[in-house]
Amino acid sequence: MGDAIAFRFEGRTLMARPGQSVTAALLAQGVVAHRTACDGTRRGPLCGIGACHECLLEIDGRLSQRGCMTAVRAGMDVRRAGALPDAGAAAPLGTMPDAIGVERCDVLVVGGGSAGIVAARLMAAGGLDVLLVDERHGPGGQYFKQDAVGTRPPDAQARDGRDAIAALKDSGARIWTDTLVWGAFREGEELRLGVLRRGRVGYVIPRHVVIATGAQEVPRPRPGWTLPGVMTTGAAQTMLRAYDSPLPGRIVIAGNGPLNLQLADELAKRGAAVAALVEAAPPPWTRPALAARLTAAGPSLAATGGRHLSRLRVAGVPVLWSSRLVRIEGAGQAQAVIVAGPDGRERRLDADTVCLGDGFVPANELARLLGCRHHVSGWPVPHPEAGRTADGGTDRADVSIIGEAGRFGGAAIAQAQGALCAGRLLALFGKTVPVAAGRAARRRFRQGRRFQDLLWRLYAPVADLPAPADDTILCRCEALSAGGIRQHCARDAVQDIATLKRATRAGMGRCQGRFCQAALAALVPAPTGEMDFAAPQMPLRPIPLAALAVEKPEWRGHRRVDIPSALAGQGAVPLVSAGVQVTDVVVIGGGIVGLFAALFLAQAGRRVVVLERGRPGALASGGNAGSLHAQLMAFDDSAGADGPSLPARTLALQRDSIRMWQSMAPFFDRDLEIRICGGLAVAESEADMARLRAKVAVEQSLGVASRMVDSRELRAIEPALGAGFLGGAHCAEEGKINPMAATLAVMARAREAGVAIRPLTPVTAITRETNGFRIVAGGQVWSAGAVVNAAGAHAGEIAGLVGRRLPVFGAPLQMIVTEPVAPLVGSLLAHASRHLTLKQAANGTLLIGGGWSAGLDAVHRHPRPVRESLEGNLWVARRLIPALGNVHVVRSWAAMNIDIDGAPILGESPDVPGFYNAVTANGVTLAPAMGRGVADMVLGTGRRADLDIFSPLRFQGGSA
């Protein structure tokens, strides 16, 4: 290793080859554990493509660096990543830009694998301005992966890749490597894709985007699969082919498919100790007719497979057909595996490295984010699969999907589809298209499809894994076991993946569920459509917070949107089942306010039905940041023309509600993570200080425990605050809660009390009757003496069914969450004149919100963050807490909030007796008090005159 470079790992000096990734260099030295998970266990690299984030390391003081995507540099200081690293002591991940650059092109190709290389080369050669971006250090992808260390002569596959890459470079296409596509936005008629290139965020605006992101492996959970030393087959092949790093010790390769066979042969040729190849399919010679057809469809590929088997036989590597690796054992890292044979008998094999190759699914997050239609595929595990034509066309006119980003099918199909897509887009842009090349590509595509269909029929598994044992980890990021998740599913009557996520946090980690979604799907009713899977969220991979933080103008007033109707059967006669169901109260809306109202009514002996158009708690109640507000926000007016403003007069109800949360918390079946931590609004100008003084004066006059603090006390309360803040306002009563746990806990109590909760039951009609109302919803009819309208953003539409106007407008807001770090922020932080709420959750993540407007997805019309709000929100957060420049953003999301007049709507409609409204933009804080208040009104008990100001009468010209 004469040209080796030295780097430091945990205080030791290690040597690496130039071009190696940090992970490859560590594995070559026998270091398999890279990080500590949230459960305290050690983890090692799994996927080798930067998607699993199990290879995280601290490099030169920078947190959460992916070892498999980072090249070794001389003098680099590398340390294992802790579960909760100290962000305050870490090195910055970058500087905040003054502005974010924009690049335009005709076609953006995302992914430099075999499909993307062919498509980009042909389009560029045909005269289009093509930009190809790839996350790795060079193009090639998983099939054409090139030797980064350059120490061995390439084989035929590598030579083909080398030639394809050279032709791409000669074509005139622009190539950006080390470039992550982290998000996508539809802004008017334009597509704008967010990229992170060498630490800097930029945007690309193409006329057309070609998604060639390939596939990812889906290792099936089994006991021990989180041990260091367990990785995917593709990761092991990357170590070998790209970095010339054979895996250490005894190696067992297990799963299903020809890639496992190829890896076993390649490792054996390099002298690695391959202990066994475990294959779930039977031997091909037991299906001679099928094997003959496969050979006829692809003679050279079939011959290659035969050579692999022959060489393994010569090398003495046992191939265990019709078998499954059911368990991995080891103390701190893999040491042995348990294999079940065709007869079910188990045998133990020593193993230091375990390679799992259970199949592939498309890496389709970007395609889904852009709104391309998907359907459900069950092979090899349930997942969304894009609908597309042979030439990559989708239902989005400006988006194409080629290669394994649409469906796993091998490199030959991917290259043919890349050529077909290039021909279609050249014609679309008015360029010359070689006719003969198109015919040849179609022929290769048909041949490839025929071969792949036969191949996977030949490799159809006959051995399967048992259902995961209770102690098997399903969600690696959050260290959640199958048994624990099953208990949550049973407790909360979980019927879908999204509710399962809220109940357990499964799929909410850095990998966004890429490696657990299939296992989670097996715990709920089988998905029937794309929307039954968890939605992709931006960023698609974690990105440095500072890279996206750009100052934006502040605003006053929510951005209202025209939300889709919540009513069923608009313009059609509803189909109604026979019979009318009689109940006392129908609550419309299964959010946390409606659930509290239903709970209190049921506890008083009333029969209650909750009708929810979607999944209960799935919208604003389960998608907010969980603040418990006892003081005014920076953008609330504190005083009106005749004394305290309407928001200020709501503070008493908010404080009552927070006290209710505290008193009720012991009676729920889970920890709601309620913490009265105090709220701190900071000022950085004299105008800010004057604003806060006026706010505090009003709050104190209303009995709120708020006070002004100077800069010294400010720093004592929150030492991580940045410099330059003059002082602030502190409210001791403010706090936080886990809104997902809270909503599900209230739902569970409501069910226990006898409330009937009907999900996926949108209301069609409400008719007034002599003694109440007739409600038609979901093809069923209820008769009830009272109706509670707790439909949130749709409350105005529901009120319209009884002929009344209720000025409630949809105003989606966004939230952002960082990776977990050690305690950094104790209070609920806000800014005196900028939109921000910032708090740290119990798991160490930092939640960033504060009223920045979101928008609606252009295709599905669901709330989605918008680009400028993400940038501005993060800029304010980073300005308050500079250490946020040292952490990554893991996820953003949006939920439908509402815009009314600064106060809740609570009370009976003045001229529609029995129709009650319980609507608020501050649902989590006010939910207990709102539910109690409207329940008392329905019951006719304990009238509170102080609630009259919230009556809907104020919208009808009356006075309270």
Side-chain angles (χ1 to χ4, degrees), residues 220 222 280-281 322-326 340-341 358 380-381 461-467:
R220 301 269 299 276
R222 61 260 278 172
S322 304
S323 301
R324 279 291 194 187
L325 190 158
V326 296
D358 293 317
V381 294
V462 295
D464 199 6
L465 287 173

Side-chain angles (χ1 to χ4, degrees), residues 35 43-44 46 54 225-226 473-479 515:
R35 75 178 188 98
R43 298 287 178 82
L46 174 70
E54 293 282 46
W225 77 303
T226 60
I473 295 294
L474 295 190
C475 176
R476 298 173 66 103
C477 294
E478 300 293 325
F515 293 89

Side-chain angles (χ1 to χ4, degrees), residues 23-86:
T23 288
L26 291 177
L27 290 176
Q29 300 286 334
V31 178
V32 295
H34 280 40
R35 75 178 188 98
T36 300
C38 59
D39 62 352
T41 61
R42 288 283 180 89
R43 298 287 178 82
L46 174 70
C47 73
I49 59 172
C52 70
H53 295 82
E54 293 282 46
C55 64
L56 294 184
L57 297 159
E58 180 183 314
I59 299 178
D60 293 333
R62 301 167 75 230
L63 301 182
S64 305
Q65 303 301 294
R66 292 177 293 171
C68 73
M69 304 296 288
T70 305
V72 176
R73 298 186 306 275
M76 175 183 278
D77 184 67
V78 179
R79 298 182 181 278
R80 290 189 175 95
L84 289 176
D86 184 354

Side-chain angles (χ1 to χ4, degrees), residues 578-600:
V580 176
Q581 303 170 68
V582 178
T583 190
D584 296 323
V585 184
V586 164
V587 176
I588 300 175
I592 196 165
V593 172
L595 292 170
F596 259 122
L599 170 61
F600 291 136

Side-chain angles (χ1 to χ4, degrees), residues 106-111 115-116 119 123 186 191 193 206-214 363-364 366-368 370-374 386-406 417-418 420-426 428-429:
D106 290 332
V107 182
L108 172 66
V109 179
V110 183
M123 287 187 291
R186 289 191 176 273
L191 280 181
L193 282 81
R207 297 168 66 189
H208 195 99
V209 61
V210 175
I211 299 174
T213 44
N364 58 14
L366 180 58
R368 295 183 63 203
L370 287 170
C372 297
R373 184 182 297 119
H374 285 67
R388 59 172 181 176
T389 57
D391 58 7
T394 73
D395 62 317
R396 300 290 105 198
D398 51 6
V399 181
S400 297
I401 303 173
I402 59 176
E404 293 169 346
Q417 197 164 44
L420 292 172
C421 180
R424 176 171 56 84
L425 293 183
L426 285 168
L428 179 67
F429 285 103

Side-chain angles (χ1 to χ4, degrees), residues 869-892:
S869 289
L870 288 173
E871 295 168 8
N873 205 171
L874 293 174
W875 186 89
V876 180
R878 166 66 176 75
R879 188 172 183 84
L880 260 67
I881 305 294
L884 289 178
N886 309 338
V887 304
H888 292 83
V889 171
V890 169
R891 190 172 67 256
S892 69

